[in-house]
Amino acid sequence: MGHIMQMIESTSEDQRVADQWIREYLTREHEDLGRGGAVCPFVGPAREAGAIRMESLRAEAADGTDELVGSLRDRMQHFRDLPVPEGKESLAALVVLIQDLPRHRWRLLDRAQHLLKREAVREGLMVGQFHPDCPEPAHRNPSFAVSRSPLPLVAIRHMAFHDILFLHADPVLFAGYQKRFGIRYEDGGNVPQEFRTLYEGAHKLPAPTGSAYIDYQSVTLLHALHQPRTAHQAESSFYLAGQAKELLFSLVLEEVRAAQEGIAADDLGRSSWHVRRAAAGFRLLGEFWELLSTLSPAEFHSFRDALGDASGNGSYKYRELEFALGVAAPSTAATYEGVPGVETEVYRALHDASVYDDALGLLVRRGLLSAEALGPDRDAQAIRAAWARIHREKSVSSGLLRWAESLMDLAQAFGRWRSLHLLTVERIIGYKPGTGGTTGVAWLRHVASQRAFPELWEARSCLEGGTTGGDHAFPPSPLDPGPGASRKRERG
């Protein structure tokens, strides 16, 4: 655990900017919100009641996630002791401005909020983060990044009845909500139908069995979720492999995000460690194609009709992982529109920066690349040259080179996963259309030709023994949307 960040007096300018944002954004309607009313209906009444307190924390140069978590935990405890006008306790809120936190570390606020969320909910609190790049989407219009503020800050308040919107998808978070508001749903009271639907469909924790291992691993629940549609043994292998892949997608995504956290903290050793584990996760995922390759065409067709329109292309966790690697088109997020909980999660991943975005930002901070190269007209040649310079000038003992090569390990493992997918599908169904409306092998061949971190691959051609690196030396990347366009997602 790091030290507690220093409490300081808020500057009048910071307070003015934050207060103006609260008044002119949070308390007003917004055309992209997807509903009427204020962006945050809670804020207007809280301001009128004088129940909002504003404080500031100053981040030191070396502060990372641990320091943010420790400081915000301290502020959560402090929040309970704040004086509030009588009868207005439910409207109390503490706004904590985070000063001197550089832009590339703003994402650490997202991580700190994630780490504190369950702890806060257990105590009946809600903690929300806001900053200019915040990826949090609006509930009714997830394509709108609703939590972007002019400066980084965190808001702490008491849990409210409407927080079912944010707590229904996680069994631990839902348990905290149910403890406080379940009686209102169970006594037949007046509850909006949307809230009741979310409450009744919420993910609930399974009852404990008394076995430490079974309860820790949720083994009973895992086995209960194995529900093939036919009696064919081949489908059981197909079904279980798909479920196991979903769990591994979550693991790899968590490791990629942890690697981004390391980049944000300028800790390349830590970033490389998580990239290494993400690459190992992809290699393990590749082994599932070996299992599925044991299915004969006849065995697959024995249960294929039971799949209906189901396709691995519908995996939202894999789509989030593609966003985190910077290899999915933003338009693919629309596939999940109207899917409760999932839509919000996918758009959060879309709004967030990819690990490659963050890697290129680090090259800018290290003086290897100009910020202009990452503008709307992305300068692929300059990016290639920056990666090539690392390989040309850095010894194998260089932390920067080892980090760059760990990224290459991840890109290669990802490419291998896609290639094995192509080969397995071609082996089993040949050139027939795929499930879920895809063109099957033709679509997979196009996807397999794409590369994560394209300029890192292309830089190899700039090194000794190759070309000097002119653009004529490189075929158009499958990821390139066209001349003058940027592969980087818009962050607002």
Side-chain angles (χ1 to χ4, degrees):
M1 177 61 64
H3 69 274
I4 300 297
M5 294 163 60
Q6 182 182 0
M7 288 295 305
I8 60 172
E9 292 293 327
S10 302
T11 67
S12 56
E13 177 61 17
D14 282 345
Q15 285 188 338
R16 184 194 67 78
V17 170
D19 189 63
Q20 181 179 11
W21 172 74
I22 290 172
R23 287 185 290 103
E24 297 183 2
Y25 176 69
L26 291 183
T27 62
R28 297 185 181 181
E29 293 186 4
H30 195 288
E31 60 182 3
D32 293 329
L33 199 58
R35 60 166 173 78
V39 169
C40 181
F42 170 88
V43 172
R47 289 187 76 249
E48 292 176 7
I52 298 179
R53 169 86 174 263
M54 191 176 295
E55 298 179 346
S56 289
L57 288 172
R58 172 174 290 149
E60 301 296 335
D63 283 347
T65 306
D66 287 347
E67 287 75 25
L68 282 168
V69 167
S71 296
L72 294 177
R73 181 179 287 120
D74 179 71
R75 292 298 89 195
M76 283 166 49
Q77 298 306 316
H78 171 65
F79 168 69
R80 294 187 174 282
D81 299 326
L82 290 176
V84 181
E86 187 175 355
K88 305 295 182 182
E89 291 80 7
S90 64
L91 295 174
L94 175 62
V95 176
V96 183
L97 309 182
I98 312 295
Q99 297 187 354
D100 299 335
L101 189 69
R103 179 167 187 163
H104 67 276
R105 296 197 179 195
W106 289 346
R107 72 160 41 257
L108 300 184
L109 273 181
D110 303 324
R111 180 61 176 166
Q113 187 270 350
H114 174 75
L115 292 173
L116 282 172
K117 191 170 184 178
R118 288 187 172 186
E119 179 180 328
V121 167
R122 282 197 299 269
E123 297 179 14
L125 303 178
M126 296 291 288
V127 177
Q129 83 285 15
F130 303 83
H131 57 81
D133 290 335
C134 189
E136 295 297 329
H139 173 66
R140 288 184 175 83
N141 178 19
S143 63
F144 173 46
V146 69
S147 296
R148 293 187 172 172
S149 59
L151 70 172
L153 59 90
V154 172
I156 302 170
R157 62 171 175 82
H158 295 287
M159 189 190 300
F161 185 61
H162 71 266
D163 286 325
I164 183 67
L165 297 172
F166 314 113
L167 305 177
H168 67 95
D170 182 305
V172 175
L173 299 180
F174 176 72
Y177 178 86
Q178 186 178 34
K179 177 181 177 181
R180 287 162 179 81
F181 298 108
I183 188 64
R184 294 181 60 175
Y185 293 86
E186 295 157 10
D187 66 2
N190 185 21
V191 175
Q193 185 57 48
E194 179 185 15
F195 290 11
R196 187 171 294 282
T197 299
L198 291 175
Y199 185 88
E200 292 173 353
H203 296 286
K204 299 178 174 64
L205 287 168
T209 66
S211 166
Y213 173 76
I214 291 173
D215 292 340
Y216 175 76
Q217 296 286 5
S218 300
V219 173
T220 303
L221 178 60
L222 278 175
H223 288 301
L225 292 175
H226 186 62
Q227 298 288 338
R229 301 296 191 268
T230 73
H232 295 285
Q233 180 59 35
E235 189 196 1
S236 183
S237 295
F238 180 87
Y239 193 95
L240 187 146
Q243 291 183 318
K245 285 188 294 183
E246 287 295 328
L247 294 176
L248 281 168
F249 292 153
S250 292
L251 168 67
V252 176
L253 178 60
E254 288 175 4
E255 294 300 332
V256 170
R257 290 306 189 196
Q260 291 182 260
E261 189 179 339
I263 294 172
D266 293 294
D267 187 342
L268 297 191
R270 176 182 173 191
S271 178
S272 296
W273 186 263
H274 290 290
V275 168
R276 171 177 172 266
R277 191 146 55 225
F282 263 124
R283 289 192 291 272
L284 181 56
L285 278 162
E287 294 302 311
F288 282 99
W289 297 128
E290 298 294 330
L291 171 65
L292 295 176
S293 291
T294 67
L295 272 63
S296 71
E299 285 180 312
F300 179 69
H301 286 291
S302 70
F303 64 83
R304 185 178 185 182
D305 287 347
L307 299 180
D309 292 331
S311 167
N313 192 42
S315 169
Y316 72 91
K317 192 58 67 173
Y318 180 67
R319 193 67 64 212
E320 290 178 52
L321 181 51
E322 286 189 321
F323 286 143
L325 295 173
V327 297
S331 59
T332 58
T335 305
Y336 305 95
E337 288 182 357
V339 182
V342 171
E343 179 184 28
T344 299
E345 191 171 326
V346 169
Y347 273 97
R348 182 182 295 113
L350 172 65
H351 295 321
D352 206 350
S354 73
V355 65
Y356 195 52
D357 293 333
D358 289 344
L360 296 181
L362 183 133
L363 297 188
V364 172
R365 297 198 300 278
R366 295 294 177 94
L368 295 165
L369 186 66
S370 70
E372 290 72 24
L374 304 183
D377 294 320
R378 192 184 185 103
D379 191 343
Q381 185 173 359
I383 297 170
R384 286 194 291 269
W387 289 120
R389 180 179 171 187
I390 291 174
H391 284 80
R392 188 179 295 117
E393 298 181 4
K394 304 296 181 182
S395 71
V396 291
S397 63
S398 163
L400 196 59
L401 176 58
R402 289 200 304 272
W403 168 71
E405 284 298 278
S406 74
L407 290 175
M408 195 64 185
D409 289 341
L410 176 57
Q412 180 172 321
F414 175 66
R416 178 177 178 271
W417 148 267
R418 282 184 156 183
S419 296
L420 288 172
H421 187 183
L422 165 64
L423 288 172
T424 303
V425 172
E426 188 170 359
R427 172 174 177 160
I428 295 176
I429 69 170
Y431 296 92
K432 295 178 181 179
T435 56
T438 70
T439 58
V441 167
W443 175 75
L444 288 173
R445 181 169 286 116
H446 167 72
V447 168
S449 69
Q450 298 176 339
R451 293 286 180 265
F453 323 148
E455 293 93 356
L456 184 56
W457 288 87
E458 296 161 0
R460 269 67 181 158
S461 299
C462 300
L463 300 176
E464 288 73 9
T467 124
T468 55
D471 274 346
H472 66 278
F474 301 94
S477 167
L479 291 176
D480 269 327
S486 171
R487 282 195 290 263
K488 185 175 181 179
R489 299 195 301 280
E490 287 295 328
R491 298 181 67 189

